[in-house]
Amino acid sequence: MIGKTTLWFYAVLSFSIIVLVSGCNKKGDEKKVFTVGALHPEMNAFHAAIKNSVDKRAEEKGWKIINFTAGVSAEKQLDQMENLIALGVDVILVCPVDAKSIGSGVKKARDAGIPVYGVDRSTVGTPLNMTVQADNEMGGRQAAEGAVAFLKEKYGEPKGLVLELQGDMASNVAQLRSKGFNEYMGKHPNVKVISKPTEWKAERFLKGTQDVLGTQPVDAIFSHTDVIGTTPILSALDQLGKKIKVGQKGHIWYGAIDGSPTGLKAVREGWQDASYSQPCTDCGIVLDFVEKETVKGETIETGPFVKEGALWSPARIFKADNGLMMLLATTVVTKDNVDDKRLWGNQ
């Protein structure tokens, strides 16, 4: 006959085993959260808008995201990529500081079985799964068209002197902006272009403007960015006594890529002729393609990509030397549409 004490012991033991087994099963049944590692070159207004877009899309999908910012250091960004590989993230998004040097990090990620996607910028020499970025070549061409139209109105034909203030030519986006601009300008042999690299540094936008406009009769200025470039460029024009509003005698045409709050303000106030806005607040769409390809194992189709109501639509997806590429159209912004709420600089 089993006594009460013995029964109590077996009851407690049975309960403990049930709890232990239940706890083990619960732990084993937990679903791993899909984790995205995101590498940003810096965190100004433009890149903050991209980060927010990606963060929001990840949150909507229930995914975890780990963000790193490199402070415009290619070496630091490579270290950060190795950290993400060590953490075992499921996918890496990168906006490269240096389009070539990031390649070694991309190869390490792939060796670890981690796919890599580009956001806003891509690589040179090392393929990615896919890159989603603005059509930077289109933005450069749009700027050239604006400058040429101004020169035609001023001289009756496209001729004159144009200053191109480039970004960091180690980045593929600066290369594309310059390519689009100079290929169009090359069709007009009487237009001379002076190009000055700035490495995306405000002081170099200032100095480049001062040095060239202080010694030569420049008719137009094209800046690769109005996030960083507009304030120093306008400051230099002011110091040289050449800050004159659009439409007034002596005005120097000024156009810039990005569509930042600073750039839109300058367009609105009449100091900047045009801005060529990028769709940075929609860059989170890259995670839809990550989900399609990496999570669901589906193939990303090439061709036109349409999104109703989006300023960048239609976009186009195609196979490039560095992997699949999705180019979102840039938007020409003048005083006529500067208050459009869909522009990221107004958000």
Side-chain angles (χ1 to χ4, degrees):
M1 183 175 178
I2 300 175
K4 289 183 179 180
T5 302
T6 305
L7 285 171
W8 179 84
F9 171 79
Y10 280 113
V12 171
L13 180 62
S14 299
F15 178 77
S16 299
I17 292 171
I18 290 168
V19 170
L20 181 62
V21 172
S22 298
C24 289
N25 287 341
K26 184 177 180 182
K27 186 175 181 181
D29 289 342
E30 281 182 358
K31 193 174 181 180
K32 181 180 179 293
V33 177
F34 191 83
T35 303
V36 180
L39 299 173
H40 308 277
E42 57 183 321
M43 202 46 65
N44 54 31
F46 180 80
H47 290 288
I50 292 174
K51 176 185 176 296
N52 291 339
S53 175
V54 173
D55 286 352
K56 182 180 177 183
R57 205 61 153 228
E59 184 180 351
E60 290 170 354
K61 295 179 184 298
W63 294 354
K64 179 181 177 182
I65 188 157
I66 301 171
N67 289 291
F68 283 123
T69 304
V72 204
S73 167
E75 184 179 356
K76 185 175 181 180
Q77 191 169 66
L78 279 170
D79 289 340
Q80 292 171 341
M81 181 169 275
E82 291 190 5
N83 286 339
L84 290 176
I85 294 169
L87 288 170
V89 298
D90 295 291
V91 67
I92 294 175
L93 307 183
V94 62
C95 180
V97 173
D98 188 299
K100 284 187 177 180
S101 68
I102 195 65
S104 61
V106 173
K107 289 172 184 174
K108 287 181 182 178
R110 281 192 167 160
D111 289 343
I114 302 172
V116 184
Y117 293 73
V119 184
D120 178 58
R121 301 178 189 172
S122 194
T123 51
V124 173
T126 306
L128 301 176
N129 281 58
M130 183 182 190
T131 300
V132 175
Q133 66 179 52
D135 192 337
N136 290 277
E137 193 171 335
M138 174 191 282
R141 185 173 64 252
Q142 289 169 335
E145 290 169 350
V148 166
F150 173 82
L151 295 174
K152 281 183 179 178
E153 185 176 347
K154 181 176 181 178
Y155 295 117
E157 62 176 306
K159 67 176 184 178
L161 184 61
V162 179
L163 170 62
E164 177 197 13
L165 291 166
Q166 303 168 326
D168 185 343
M169 294 304 285
S171 68
N172 82 309
V173 294
Q175 294 168 16
L176 290 168
R177 293 174 192 189
S178 190
K179 181 175 184 285
F181 184 77
N182 285 288
E183 281 186 355
Y184 188 86
M185 284 301 190
K187 299 175 183 178
H188 306 285
N190 292 327
V191 178
K192 180 183 177 183
V193 177
I194 298 174
S195 299
K196 296 285 184 182
T198 68
E199 297 179 352
W200 308 119
K201 294 179 179 177
E203 61 270 20
R204 295 194 64 176
F205 280 97
L206 177 69
K207 189 173 187 305
T209 307
Q210 289 174 328
D211 289 350
V212 178
L213 270 72
T215 58
Q216 300 188 62
V218 171
D219 297 291
I221 300 171
F222 165 51
S223 170
H224 278 203
T225 175
D226 55 25
V227 176
I228 305 162
T230 286
T231 298
I233 289 169
L234 293 181
S235 177
L237 288 172
D238 193 30
Q239 292 172 26
L240 294 166
K242 296 181 179 182
K243 186 182 176 185
I244 301 168
K245 284 194 172 184
V246 176
Q248 295 183 0
K249 186 178 179 181
H251 170 69
I252 294 172
W253 184 91
Y254 170 46
I257 291 178
D258 278 336
S260 70
T262 302
L264 298 191
K265 182 174 183 287
V267 171
R268 200 173 283 116
E269 293 177 351
W271 302 115
Q272 184 169 322
D273 293 71
S275 183
Y276 306 94
S277 183
Q278 296 209 61
C280 53
T281 49
D282 280 338
C283 279
I285 197 172
V286 67
L287 292 186
D288 292 352
F289 295 101
V290 169
E291 184 173 39
K292 184 179 182 69
E293 184 178 56
T294 301
V295 179
K296 297 181 179 179
E298 298 174 359
T299 301
I300 298 171
E301 296 179 2
T302 58
F305 186 94
V306 178
K307 183 179 178 181
E308 184 96 21
L311 288 171
W312 50 262
S313 181
R316 58 192 179 99
I317 301 174
F318 60 96
K319 291 181 180 179
D321 292 339
N322 55 346
L324 275 180
M325 178 71 66
M326 181 181 190
L327 294 183
L328 313 180
T330 50
T331 303
V332 179
V333 183
T334 65
K335 62 181 180 180
D336 296 327
N337 63 337
V338 69
D339 293 321
D340 191 320
K341 299 301 182 186
R342 293 173 295 174
L343 298 168
W344 78 270
N346 288 328
Q347 296 173 22

